[in-house]
Amino acid sequence: MKQVISAILFLTFVITLIVVVFTFQQVDREQKSLAADIQKRSDETAHRINDNLKPYMFNTYYSTYLQTLVDKYTNSERLLGVAVYDNKDNLLALSTGFSTEFAKTETLPANIMDADKASGDFSSLDNNSVYDYAIPLHDNKGAVVGSLMIVQNAGYINDRIFDIWKNNLLRLLVQSIAISLAVLFIIYWFISKPIKALAESIKNARNGNIPKGKIANHIFFEPLINEFTSISKSLQEARNIATQEARLRLEKLDSPWTAERLKEFTKDLLKGKNIFVVSNREPYMHIKQGNKISYIQPASGMVTALEPIMRSCGGMWIAHGSGDADKLTVNSHDKIKVPPDDPKYTLKRVWLTKEEEKGYYNGFCNEGLWPLCHTAHTRPVFRKEDWYQYEKVNGKFAQTLLKEIKDVRKPIILIQDFHFALLPKMIKNSRPDAIIGIFWHIPWPNAESFQICPWRREILEGMLGADLLGFHTQLHCNNFIDTVSHELEALVDLELFAVQKEGHVSFIKPFPISIPFLEQEKESTEQVEKNKKEVFEELGIKTKYMGLGVDRLDYTKGLLERLHAVEYFLQTYPAYRKNFTFVQISAPSRTTVPQYAKFAEEVEKEIERINATFRTRDWKPIVFLKKHHTHEQLYKYYKAADFCAVTSLHDGMNLVAKEFIMARSDEKGVLLLSQFAGASRELKDAIIVNPYNIEQTAESFKTALTMMQAEQTKRMKRMREIVQNYNVYRWSAELLKTLMALEN
Ligand code: GDG
């Protein structure tokens, strides 16, 4: 719209300029012609008067008669006055009522007598424009004996000029309005509308709905349309081939998995049925920014993993609407199609009261279950009121889900994480035909640790309502089975890894989660260097080596230990001072939970302290970026880092480690990985560290920064192969295949 307004303003400016220049010319012409006309008329009038007055002039006997005649000519429409002078410039007669002052001070009569030539000029009289014209009077011998001056009203000339300006400006206004309307019409009809149609066709083509024949029709865009039509044909052919290939590969789980292959796979497997995903965190959160509404993808490993699956399979995702503009963007059923700029599935938002959020999310989930499952030595807090809210919110989500699956036979439900441990049983009780899987994204502790939870039995029973329980690693599965054996009366089958309780069987299985892993072209050293330079410039740092950490601001991620390792590293290897900078990216997380607020404060304090110890005029060892980043921004940092440090004290999997590997298409860079992160089971080519051992972690920084390029490539290649082979599409294919095999 801004551009349209600018175009209209520009056009109006150009037209105004043209109109003004032409009006000036027209006015000039008109002025000259009117002046010539008044002069001609004045000359005729003056001579006519002269002929009539001549016999009575210069004869005192007739002076009264002269005055009478002079008065006779006055006050006609345009002639304001007549004055007769002798050759000494004395006034002989003057129209009655005419300004004596004016007639006496006027120099024109004297001038024309000197020159013996008639002349006229414009002047002003009582603020009115007048034209004075004087002719010399001669005796019979031709000598100048006096002069006659007439004064004509010239106001009509100004009126005429004013009319020209007025008419032209009015015409300009009408033209501007007409042209603006024409521009709007042209832009809408000939540009905007066809481009919109073209964009819609391209979008449809991208989504697989390729029209037969031309994708749009418009004479102006003919060449463009032809080009797009042939691109979309090629796209359709490529898509057909990909679909065929995907179908051929369906049965072989270990050949590369892509979004396309997963789509074909689920089409076959689910027989047209949709998936229902339930999670606490939503994949898209709408937020207010001034008077605009925008959206973000929350920093969450669960979202990173599940979103690509929903994009390729479609279905419904039910989650807590926690963005401050979420309510403004849903329809009357609290639903919205997402991704917002390329809708593929439905997001249904569930609203929680402040009290529910406080008890269920902040309290039981984040102060209770999170520290209980992570052995990170933060004591879990269990409150009865929090448990009450946890049960209530699980019930609320159960009601929402039951309503959505009311008319669906054997609905397929994937429940995410520790926020909904009670949900599987709630659903199973009402809908025994539902096929339910729950995936636990965080570790499962050993049976002794779990014992401290006052509601451990309710949690286990709730989870066992699912047909399939997924964890990241075999160790977590073992811990879970062990916990069930300790806490419940149930039949545990250690061969099948299944639990039978009240006639219902649940299978427990590891599914190491992953990322989409998009294959990119190998980046050249120059590209990598250029990106690195840009990142350093953006951060305003001068350094040779860069270490990187990317985590939610969470105490389980081992941030403080990592910072202490940076301090120890710089103490032990002073040569790296001024040459090494550690960039820590941290998206604020769970900020209303007291332990998190305190932790964030502690991290900032430690960074300040370490920076104060080592900083020089133009260098500091740690750059802390405490804000939410987009995935594109994160990948820029991954590509620029010499090493990425993932030093979680305990972590279900850790997707940052896998994202770093995916970003390194240049096959360089070193991954430092905590032995307590699930990812360390797969990524054996990382430098594995014990995050509690500060000296060892600091030493691993040195090892990473001095590792030979060939060694880096060897390790990175192997890790890339692993993540590519076991990407998130394969993860969901295996999870869904296992779940559907349990359908009875
Ligand atoms: C749980 C388990 C398990 C980070 N900052 C931003 C941002 N991130 C993204 C990263 C990554 C994800 O968040 C974090 O993934 P993690 O796996 O490290 O961690 P958790 O959130 O703790 O997830 C974990 C995971 O579930 C999956 O099962 O691996 O063990 O704890 O993808 O890129 N994303 C955006 N902005 C940021 O500023 N958009």
Side-chain angles (χ1 to χ4, degrees):
M1 196 58 195
K2 252 189 190 166
Q3 280 96 327
V4 177
I5 293 173
S6 305
I8 291 175
L9 285 178
F10 181 71
L11 269 175
T12 312
F13 172 74
V14 173
I15 298 165
T16 309
L17 204 66
I18 294 170
V19 168
V20 167
V21 169
F22 277 102
T23 309
F24 264 119
Q25 285 178 346
Q26 190 185 351
V27 160
D28 188 48
R29 271 199 314 273
E30 190 72 13
Q31 242 166 355
K32 279 182 182 148
S33 139
L34 289 170
D37 180 61
I38 200 168
Q39 186 193 12
K40 191 167 160 265
R41 275 192 296 105
S42 301
D43 192 60
E44 284 166 9
T45 312
H47 281 100
R48 193 161 24 89
I49 298 172
N50 180 32
D51 290 348
N52 291 336
L53 295 187
K54 212 169 180 181
Y56 312 104
M57 273 190 259
F58 314 115
N59 188 336
T60 43
Y61 180 74
Y62 290 119
S63 62
T64 331
Y65 194 59
L66 184 69
Q67 181 62 45
T68 313
L69 278 176
V70 163
D71 283 340
K72 191 179 142 198
Y73 290 108
T74 325
N75 278 333
S76 65
E77 195 185 325
R78 285 199 181 150
L79 188 59
L80 297 176
V82 177
V84 183
Y85 301 83
D86 65 11
N87 58 2
K88 302 263 171 4
D89 210 18
N90 295 318
L91 198 55
L92 298 178
L94 175 68
S95 307
T96 309
F98 194 72
S99 165
T100 323
E101 182 70 15
F102 176 83
K104 280 187 176 165
T105 52
E106 185 54 72
T107 54
L108 186 67
N111 293 343
I112 61 112
M113 281 192 281
D114 291 346
D116 191 9
K117 195 172 168 222
S119 179
D121 205 359
F122 289 96
S123 67
S124 114
L125 175 63
D126 299 336
N127 290 332
N128 294 316
S129 173
V130 292
Y131 185 72
D132 315 331
Y133 189 79
I135 56 170
L137 303 176
H138 300 101
D139 60 12
N140 293 340
K141 288 176 197 141
V144 176
V145 290
S147 64
L148 177 118
M149 181 175 78
I150 62 170
V151 179
Q152 303 239 53
N153 184 357
Y156 73 96
I157 297 184
N158 287 348
D159 292 347
R160 174 78 191 115
I161 302 299
F162 176 78
D163 280 350
I164 292 175
W165 275 108
K166 193 177 83 186
N167 292 341
N168 284 5
L169 290 180
L170 268 175
R171 208 171 296 146
L172 171 69
L173 185 73
V174 173
Q175 276 170 352
S176 301
I177 292 172
I179 287 174
S180 304
L181 290 175
V183 168
L184 283 176
F185 177 79
I186 289 170
I187 289 180
Y188 173 74
W189 198 255
F190 294 105
I191 302 177
S192 191
K193 205 168 168 232
I195 285 190
K196 249 194 200 154
L198 195 61
E200 188 59 29
S201 310
I202 294 169
K203 189 174 159 195
N204 286 338
R206 182 162 51 85
N207 291 334
N209 309 319
I210 298 174
K212 302 253 180 306
K214 269 195 185 174
I215 64 173
N217 219 344
H218 199 281
I219 194 146
F220 284 173
F221 297 101
E222 190 77 29
L224 201 62
I225 288 166
N226 289 344
E227 204 43 47
F228 275 129
T229 306
S230 57
I231 290 178
S232 73
K233 262 193 207 136
S234 321
L235 186 67
Q236 178 65 57
E237 279 162 21
R239 193 168 266 142
N240 289 343
I241 292 169
T243 308
Q244 272 170 16
E245 281 180 356
R247 301 199 124 265
L248 289 175
R249 285 201 305 257
L250 279 188
E251 286 313 310
K252 288 191 261 159
L253 277 178
D254 54 351
S255 61
W257 276 88
T258 57
E260 197 61 37
R261 184 176 171 195
L262 180 65
K263 203 173 178 177
E264 285 308 310
F265 177 81
T266 45
K267 232 194 257 168
D268 244 36
L269 185 76
L270 310 181
K271 311 263 177 300
K273 274 187 190 165
N274 280 332
I275 302 177
F276 292 85
V277 166
V278 185
S279 74
N280 172 69
R281 182 62 72 226
E282 54 183 341
Y284 291 93
M285 187 190 262
H286 285 88
I287 49 172
K288 287 181 197 159
Q289 281 181 330
N291 36 11
K292 271 194 175 166
I293 291 180
S294 61
Y295 66 86
I296 56 164
Q297 264 203 295
S300 150
M302 184 277 299
V303 170
T304 307
L306 267 292
E307 224 272 324
I309 299 159
M310 289 305 275
R311 274 179 190 243
S312 59
C313 303
M316 182 177 288
W317 188 325
I318 302 174
H320 169 212
S322 53
D324 58 6
D326 275 355
K327 281 195 178 156
L328 303 174
T329 46
V330 290
N331 66 13
S332 54
H333 301 288
D334 300 325
K335 290 178 188 170
I336 176 175
K337 289 265 182 201
V338 288
D341 44 8
D342 184 16
K344 291 273 164 58
Y345 62 95
T346 304
L347 169 63
K348 168 143 182 141
R349 286 174 171 147
V350 176
W351 315 114
L352 298 183
T353 62
K354 283 263 162 288
E355 205 184 13
E356 285 168 342
E357 226 179 305
K358 185 168 167 270
Y360 141 83
Y361 183 66
N362 287 354
F364 198 73
C365 288
N366 292 335
E367 290 190 84
L369 282 180
W370 179 266
L372 175 73
C373 291
H374 286 91
T375 319
H377 312 286
T378 297
R379 190 182 165 149
V381 180
F382 294 112
R383 300 180 197 94
K384 197 162 168 269
E385 315 83 77
D386 293 348
W387 169 250
Y388 166 71
Q389 294 297 343
Y390 185 80
E391 276 184 311
K392 195 171 150 216
V393 170
N394 271 251
K396 199 176 204 174
F397 272 78
Q399 287 316 314
T400 308
L401 180 60
L402 285 170
K403 230 186 254 170
E404 294 298 331
I405 59 175
K406 191 164 54 80
D407 302 318
V408 187
R409 216 175 67 81
K410 294 194 176 182
I412 304 151
I413 297 156
L414 282 183
I415 298 166
Q416 304 303 315
D417 235 350
F418 59 102
H419 309 94
F420 296 114
L422 309 182
L423 195 54
K425 189 176 170 192
M426 288 176 175
I427 299 296
K428 204 56 158 189
N429 283 347
S430 304
R431 289 292 301 266
D433 66 323
I435 308 160
I436 307 174
I438 179 164
F439 191 81
W440 202 258
H441 288 260
I442 61 175
W444 191 273
N446 63 41
E448 286 73 32
S449 304
F450 198 73
Q451 255 180 17
I452 65 167
C453 176
W455 298 281
R456 56 194 178 280
R457 284 194 192 100
E458 287 84 340
I459 288 172
L460 291 170
E461 280 168 5
M463 288 172 77
L464 288 171
D467 303 295
L468 180 64
L469 288 91
F471 295 91
H472 289 301
T473 66
Q474 187 59 51
L475 176 68
H476 302 155
C477 295
N478 295 350
N479 284 347
F480 181 78
I481 287 264
D482 218 18
T483 311
V484 172
S485 317
H486 267 75
E487 302 296 345
L488 301 181
E489 277 187 24
L491 258 173
V492 173
D493 184 333
L494 283 178
E495 237 169 77
L496 288 174
F497 251 75
V499 175
Q500 188 178 353
K501 180 143 193 351
E502 290 157 20
H504 176 251
V505 182
S506 308
F507 289 83
I508 292 88
K509 208 172 147 36
F511 298 94
I513 210 163
S514 195
I515 53 167
F517 201 95
L518 311 168
E519 192 47 84
Q520 315 109 319
E521 256 182 42
K522 186 173 172 173
E523 269 183 288
S524 64
T525 318
E526 293 75 56
Q527 281 171 307
V528 175
E529 282 308 315
K530 188 173 159 265
N531 173 62
K532 195 169 184 170
K533 204 167 148 240
E534 277 173 20
V535 168
F536 285 3
E537 271 170 16
E538 271 169 32
L539 295 177
I541 56 173
K542 281 189 198 129
T543 192
K544 195 166 168 197
Y545 303 108
M546 172 183 155
L548 176 70
V550 176
D551 317 81
R552 284 185 301 99
L553 204 36
D554 191 306
Y555 56 83
T556 61
K557 301 291 179 184
L559 237 80
L560 284 173
E561 291 72 8
R562 199 180 302 162
L563 297 173
H564 294 152
V566 172
E567 181 181 24
Y568 190 82
F569 170 69
L570 292 172
Q571 273 163 358
T572 318
Y573 300 105
Y576 282 98
R577 295 180 193 177
K578 295 183 84 174
N579 282 324
F580 170 76
T581 302
F582 191 79
V583 177
Q584 176 61 47
I585 298 182
S586 287
S589 182
R590 307 173 187 174
T591 44
T592 46
V593 179
Q595 287 96 324
Y596 282 77
K598 192 166 157 269
F599 177 71
E601 233 172 69
E602 223 175 309
V603 166
E604 294 205 56
K605 240 205 240 146
E606 277 305 272
I607 291 175
E608 263 173 40
R609 184 186 63 75
I610 298 169
N611 276 344
T613 311
F614 296 100
R615 78 180 314 148
T616 63
R617 204 168 49 81
D618 57 355
W619 172 83
K620 62 177 177 180
I622 302 169
V623 173
F624 186 43
L625 305 176
K626 186 184 159 195
K627 65 172 184 151
H628 189 271
H629 288 71
T630 62
H631 271 129
E632 289 70 35
Q633 288 168 329
L634 291 183
Y635 274 78
K636 222 171 150 115
Y637 286 101
Y638 288 141
K639 283 167 191 275
D642 291 286
F643 70 79
C644 178
V646 175
T647 57
S648 320
L649 302 181
H650 203 186
D651 218 331
M653 172 55 68
N654 195 292
L655 295 182
V656 168
K658 295 188 173 180
E659 287 169 356
F660 175 65
I661 291 168
M662 177 175 134
R664 300 316 296 252
S665 63
D666 63 331
E667 296 170 345
K668 299 279 165 10
V670 181
L671 175 65
L672 313 184
L673 184 56
S674 160
Q675 67 186 84
F676 305 117
S680 67
R681 309 286 115 192
E682 294 169 83
L683 305 172
K684 309 265 189 228
D685 280 296
I687 301 182
I688 305 293
V689 295
N690 169 3
Y692 292 93
N693 186 339
I694 307 297
E695 295 78 11
Q696 187 205 33
T697 309
E699 199 54 42
S700 74
F701 291 177
K702 173 82 178 354
T703 313
L705 295 177
T706 52
M707 189 182 280
M708 303 291 284
Q709 298 257 318
E711 175 68 12
Q712 291 185 24
T713 302
K714 199 170 82 187
R715 289 171 178 246
M716 189 51 85
K717 250 184 167 164
R718 282 199 295 244
M719 292 195 288
R720 282 175 69 80
E721 238 177 75
I722 289 171
V723 184
Q724 187 172 14
N725 280 340
Y726 205 104
N727 61 17
V728 77
Y729 302 115
R730 179 164 175 189
W731 174 82
S732 51
E734 292 198 353
L735 182 73
L736 285 172
K737 195 174 175 186
T738 314
L739 184 63
M740 293 310 286
L742 305 177
E743 185 185 359
N744 41 40

